[in-house]
Amino acid sequence: MLKRSIVLGTGSYLPERVVSNDELAERLETSHEWIVTRTGIRQRHIAANSEMTSDLALIAAKRALEEAGVAASEVDMLLLATTTPDQTFPATATKVQGQLGMTNGAAFDIQAVCSGFVYGLAVADSFIKSGQAETIVLIGAETFSRILDWKDRGTCVLFGDGAGAIVLSAVENSEDTMQTGGPRDNRGRGVLSTHIHSNGNTNELLYVDGGPSSTQTVGQVRMNGREVFRYAVNNLANIVYEAMEFNNLVVDDIDWLVPHQANKRILDSTAKKLGLSTDKVIVTLDRHANTSAASIPLALDEAVKDGRVKSGDLVLLEAMGGGLTWGAGLIRW
Ligand code: ACO
C-alpha cells in the first residue's frame, strides 16, 4: 500500500534581537529607503553570540512537535536544512536529535542553501513513501549573520537568522478520508509532489569564499545580485508550472504560495509572471529578511497560526538558492 506524508504540526523561532535598517545605516553607507525600495526588507532578527543554529532549530522543532502532539521518542528521522552548521561535523541535526531526546532513527543535515527546506521536503517525502520512515521532523535553521561580510552593503542588508520546523507523518492512502484516488489524486491531503533541480555551472553567482577543504576558514557570502535576480524569476516561475502540470492543476488552483523570502521584487515579479494574485503570497520578508533555509517554514508557521492556511488548502512552497538550486513542494493542507 502506498503511503503519503501529511503535516501534523509547524513551529518556528526567531532570535530576540531585532536590527532595523536604520541601525545598519549607522555603520554602513546605506539607508532605510534604499533597502525597502530595492528589497522590501524593514528589519531582521540576529542571533545572540551565545545562540547557535542548533539552539534555534531545537526550539522550532519542540514547538512543531508540541503542536503535532508527537513525542520525540516517536520520531524516526530528523532532517536539518542549513548552510550555517554549528561545526563542520558532526551534522548539526545529530546535536538537535540528542537535545530533543530522540534516541532511535537517523538525523542528518541537508545543504542546498536557500532551497534547503524544499530539498528537505523532497527527501522526507521520499523516505515516507518508501516506508523507511514514519515520523519525520524537518527543520530549516540558519545563523546566516555569521557568514556575512558586514562591510559589503550589497549582501549584509539582505539576510537574517531564524528557524522553522514541520512534523511529517506517514498515512496509508486509504486512511485519509479526503483521499479518493491514487497517489496522483490532487484532492488527497498531504504532500502531493516535490520537484528539485540544480545547475552547477552557476556556482559563482552566489557562494561563500571559504570552507574546510579550500581555505580552512569559514568564509563569507559573495553574490552577483543582478544575475541571481534574473535566474530567480525564471526558475521559480518554471518550477511552479512543473508542479502544477505534474498534478493536473493550474496556477489558479493555488490557495497559498509560500515562497522563499529573498526579495519583494522577486516575489512580485514571479507572481506577476504566473498571473497569481499577490494576496495569495505569504510574505514575512519585511520583518525576517532572507533567512535562507528557514524562510519557508517561518512563513508557513505564521500563516498556519494566523488561520490563513486551512485544512484542504492547496499550498505551494518554492525556493531558489546558491548552487544554483531550486525546487518546489505542493501540499494539500
Ligand atoms: N545601500 C545603498 N546602495 C547600495 C546597497 C545598499 N545596501 N547595495 C548596493 N548598493 C548600490 C550599488 O553599489 C550600486 O551603486 P552604483 O550604481 O553606484 O555602482 C547600486 O546600489 C545598484 O546596485 P545593484 O546591485 O545593481 O542593485 P540592484 O537593484 O540589483 O539591487 C539587490 C541589489 C537588492 C541585491 C538585488 O540585485 C537582489 O535582490 N538580487 C537578488 C539577490 C538575492 O535575493 N539573493 C539572496 C540569495 S538567493 C535567493 O534567495 C533567491
Side-chain angles (χ1 to χ4, degrees):
M1 178 85 57
L2 269 170
K3 298 199 175 184
R4 65 163 67 196
S5 325
I6 57 166
V7 181
L8 292 183
T10 63
S12 62
Y13 172 73
L14 287 160
E16 206 176 305
R17 179 151 188 259
V18 173
V19 174
S20 67
N21 292 342
D22 282 337
E23 189 178 335
L24 290 183
E26 284 169 20
R27 44 190 150 105
L28 268 178
E29 210 178 306
T30 188
S31 65
H32 174 70
E33 210 221 325
W34 192 96
I35 300 172
V36 171
T37 314
R38 300 290 181 115
T39 71
I41 296 165
R42 295 179 170 273
Q43 61 172 51
R44 71 282 298 139
H45 291 250
I46 301 291
N49 289 340
S50 58
E51 277 181 316
M52 289 184 287
T53 294
S54 61
D55 298 311
L56 277 51
L58 180 67
I59 300 174
K62 279 185 175 169
R63 288 177 178 170
L65 283 166
E66 194 178 318
E67 191 188 283
V70 170
S73 56
E74 296 172 60
V75 177
D76 53 9
M77 183 165 283
L78 186 143
L79 303 175
L80 173 58
T82 189
T83 301
T84 45
D86 291 6
Q87 295 151 266
T88 302
F89 84 86
T92 305
T94 61
K95 292 181 77 175
V96 180
Q97 179 191 29
Q99 286 160 358
L100 264 182
M102 174 190 156
T103 47
N104 58 338
F108 57 95
D109 289 356
I110 290 175
Q111 162 59 297
V113 205
C114 301
S115 311
F117 193 79
V118 285
Y119 267 61
L121 188 68
V123 173
D125 190 44
S126 301
F127 271 100
I128 283 179
K129 278 186 179 148
S130 69
Q132 291 186 80
E134 283 282 316
T135 308
I136 300 181
V137 174
L138 169 62
I139 312 165
E142 301 279 13
T143 45
F144 227 78
S145 59
R146 306 270 156 80
I147 56 167
L148 295 174
D149 176 352
W150 286 99
K151 292 191 186 75
D152 177 12
R153 64 180 183 173
T155 53
C156 74
V157 303
L158 304 175
F159 296 92
D161 300 334
I166 63 173
V167 179
L168 290 156
S169 176
V171 290
E172 303 287 348
N173 271 331
S174 58
E175 272 176 29
D176 189 335
T177 50
M178 282 176 71
Q179 176 66 31
T180 51
R184 293 277 296 268
D185 185 337
N186 60 46
R187 289 167 293 181
R189 282 178 59 226
V191 178
L192 301 182
S193 65
T194 59
H195 309 263
I196 56 173
H197 294 274
S198 62
N199 176 1
N201 295 320
T202 49
N203 282 181
E204 77 289 352
L205 297 182
L206 180 55
Y207 63 98
V208 161
D209 61 5
S213 181
S214 53
T215 59
Q216 296 85 56
T217 60
V218 173
Q220 291 173 324
V221 174
R222 305 293 169 209
M223 180 176 73
N224 179 338
R226 276 205 184 163
E227 277 298 290
V228 170
F229 192 105
R230 201 171 60 79
Y231 273 98
V233 177
N234 282 328
N235 288 344
L236 293 173
N238 288 342
I239 200 80
V240 172
Y241 288 131
E242 184 180 320
M244 292 296 108
E245 207 170 297
F246 184 85
N247 290 285
N248 299 321
L249 292 163
V250 292
V251 170
D252 245 12
D253 293 319
I254 299 171
D255 293 300
W256 298 106
L257 182 70
V258 186
H260 166 52
Q261 313 278 319
N263 183 317
K264 185 69 167 54
R265 290 188 296 141
I266 294 179
L267 304 189
D268 290 345
S269 306
T270 309
K272 193 173 167 198
K273 193 162 181 187
L274 292 166
L276 183 79
S277 159
T278 49
D279 295 347
K280 290 182 168 185
V281 183
I282 307 292
V283 180
T284 52
L285 180 83
D286 51 332
R287 289 155 291 130
H288 303 171
N290 181 347
T291 56
S292 185
S295 88
I296 289 179
L298 271 163
L300 188 60
D301 187 43
E302 180 172 296
V304 169
K305 295 279 158 43
D306 68 21
R308 276 178 290 175
V309 170
K310 298 176 295 301
S311 183
D313 282 354
L314 192 66
V315 180
L316 184 68
L317 319 180
E318 49 87 330
M320 192 190 89
L324 295 173
T325 53
W326 63 103
L330 189 64
I331 306 175
R332 177 73 68 189
W333 205 258

